[in-house]
């Protein structure tokens, strides 16, 4: 394994550093992390590597192994892995991040939430992804294009090589990222490597003049390495690990089931009293039956009988269902079938989400560690919070909110009800309207009180007058 200390020992000569970059790339491609990630990305694309490479074989009388080119060979692949990754990633990050400060979203640059979702998806599939804080925005590197260099003493990532090549025979590009800047290299076919851009700092200082326009006069660097790893789980491995065998078994059984149905769906023939027919004659007989739907049996007393075969399916159906259930449990994913039918209570929904919540909690810790590093680089002091996407029993939720409404703030009740109805984006607008109506109502009450107050004063004067008249009469 190539480390950061190996980089420190490399001479400053271009040739030596280019050789080191090629060495880093080669070493990274042989690592378990890279090779598992290659396979995982194929599964994420719904390309089951195991079943795609699976070949049906036949054994001859002499024991020779030959490809079976005659029977059906369906290769049915499932989308379990892609489904599990999407569910976990979008469950935590699908609603974006809520920040305490209003200007944090603007400081983090355009489409930060989308880029974080992409980084999270790559981290779950490949085991890790890398976020490069490029002055005022985030850039994404996946493990198939970035080779990290870790410090042997503290385990921190302090350098790395990003590489890409369209295909064999095309130029290989690589960028060596270090604490004090980055350098671009290129290897063209049948040519030696060359420096494409000399080392420069991460932050360009620019000055403008009327004569020359914008001019870069110096570079600055960050106080720490500006690329932060995002791990998909505490085990620091692809989510495919531990699931691949179950997915392979499911796809192979399902494909084998389809093959058996195809192979046995045709009518097969038995020919009685036709011992003189050899393999060639039998082949011709079958060919006639397929083409002209009729054939002649030459031997006296020979008789051809058609047969069909029913494939037993009960045990395979049961095994496929067992594998499906086990895959959801092993992936700690939500099986929507468990809450899809009937009037499911909030308690049942919460129980169905328990495994996914536990897994998302561990994933959230990894995301928080990543965000902490990005916020330091961006010089932002803020705390992120996540809103998880969850299915709810709307009717039951509304009833619970209304029952507790007398003990809650009106604004909170309004926001909660709109979120349950799927109209949460209008919560702020609705709250402002309620505030305006409340202010208007208070103004109306004040006016009524003023009017009522004047009437009372007139009534009091009338009562006093009547009392004075009564007292005068009694005095007389």
């Amino acid at each position: 394994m190539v480390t950061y200390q190996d980089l420190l020992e490399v001479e400053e000569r271009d040739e030596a550093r280019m050789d080191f970059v090629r060495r880093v790339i080669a070493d990274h491609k042989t690592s378990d992390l890279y090779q598992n990630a290659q396979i995982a990305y194929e599964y994420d694309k719904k390309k089951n590597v195991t079943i795609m490479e699976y070949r049906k074989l036949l054994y001859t009388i002499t024991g020779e192994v030959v490809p079976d080119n005659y029977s059906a060979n369906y290769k049915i692949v499932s989308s379990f892995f892609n489904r599990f990754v999407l569910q976990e990633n979008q469950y935590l990050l699908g609603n974006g991040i809520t920040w305490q400060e209003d200007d944090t979203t603007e400081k983090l640059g355009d489409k930060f939430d989308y880029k974080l979702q992409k980084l999270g998806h790559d981290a779950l599939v490949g085991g890790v992804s890398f976020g490069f804080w490029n002055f005022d925005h985030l850039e994404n590197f996946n493990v198939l294009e970035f080779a990290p260099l870790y410090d042997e003493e503290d385990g921190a990532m302090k350098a790395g090589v990003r590489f890409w090549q369209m295909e064999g025979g095309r130029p290989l590009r690589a960028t060596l990222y270090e604490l004090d800047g980055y350098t671009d290299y290129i290897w063209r076919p049948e040519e030696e490597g060359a420096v494409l851009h000399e080392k420069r700092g991460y932050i360009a200082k620019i000055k403008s003049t009327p004569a020359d326009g914008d001019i870069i006069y110096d570079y600055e660097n960050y106080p720490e390495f500006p690329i932060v790893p995002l791990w998909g789980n505490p085990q620091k491995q692809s989510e495919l690990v531990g699931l691949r065998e179950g997915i392979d078994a499911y796809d192979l059984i399902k494909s084998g089931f389809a093959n058996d149905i195809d192979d046995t769906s045709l009518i097969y023939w038995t020919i009685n009293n036709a011992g003189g027919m050899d393999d060639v004659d039998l082949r011709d007989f079958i060919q006639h039956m397929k083409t002209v739907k009729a054939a002649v049996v030459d031997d006296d007393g020979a008789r051809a009988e058609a047969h069909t075969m029913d494939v037993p399916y009960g045990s395979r159906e049961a095994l496929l269902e067992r594998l499906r259930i086990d895959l959801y449990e092993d992936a700690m994913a939500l099986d929507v079938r468990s809450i899809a039918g009937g009037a499911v209570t909030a308690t049942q929904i919460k129980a169905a989400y328990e495994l996914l919540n536990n897994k998302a909690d561990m994933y959230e810790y990894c995301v928080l560690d990543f965000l902490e590093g990005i916020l330091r680089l961006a010089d932002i002091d803020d705390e992120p919070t996540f809103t998880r996407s969850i299915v709810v029993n709307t009717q039951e939720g509304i009833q619970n909110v209304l029952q507790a409404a007398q003990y809650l703030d009106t604004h909170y009740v309004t926001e909660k009800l709109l979120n349950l109805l799927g109209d949460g984006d209008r919560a702020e607008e609705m709250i402002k309207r309620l505030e305006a109506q409340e202010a208007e109502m208070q103004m109306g009450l004040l006016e009524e009180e003023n009017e009522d107050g004047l009437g009372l004063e007139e009534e009091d004067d009338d009562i006093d007058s009547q009392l004075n008249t009564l007292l005068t009469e009694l005095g007389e």
Side-chain angles (χ1 to χ4, degrees), residues 101 117 120 131-132 135 231 273 284 314 355 382 395 400 467:
E101 303 297 331
Q117 289 180 35
F132 172 36
F135 182 63
W231 295 97
N273 299 323
D284 292 340
L355 286 177
D382 206 339
Q395 183 177 359
N400 292 336
L467 285 173

Side-chain angles (χ1 to χ4, degrees), residues 116-216:
L116 181 61
Q117 289 180 35
K118 180 66 170 62
L119 275 167
H121 184 273
D122 288 336
L124 294 173
V125 175
V128 66
S129 60
F130 305 90
F132 172 36
W133 181 248
N134 192 358
F135 182 63
D136 60 355
H137 65 280
L138 185 66
E139 295 186 13
N140 306 355
F141 302 155
N142 64 51
V143 72
L144 298 182
E145 63 179 349
F146 186 82
L149 294 172
Y150 297 102
D151 193 314
E152 297 175 8
E153 298 178 0
D154 58 16
M157 186 174 66
K158 295 183 177 178
V161 176
R162 188 192 182 197
F163 57 94
W164 63 97
Q165 186 178 23
M166 293 184 63
E167 58 183 8
R170 301 291 183 178
L172 169 65
R173 287 281 306 276
T175 301
L176 174 60
Y177 293 91
E178 303 175 76
L179 288 169
D180 59 346
Y182 60 100
T183 312
D184 295 324
Y185 301 98
I186 187 170
W187 288 265
R188 295 184 175 88
E190 300 180 358
E191 294 183 14
E192 295 183 356
V195 177
L196 192 61
H197 298 109
E198 296 288 345
K199 181 186 285 189
R200 55 196 183 277
Y202 293 101
I203 305 174
K205 289 187 173 182
I206 301 175
K207 64 180 180 180
S208 300
T209 63
D212 300 324
D214 294 340
I215 299 175
I216 299 176

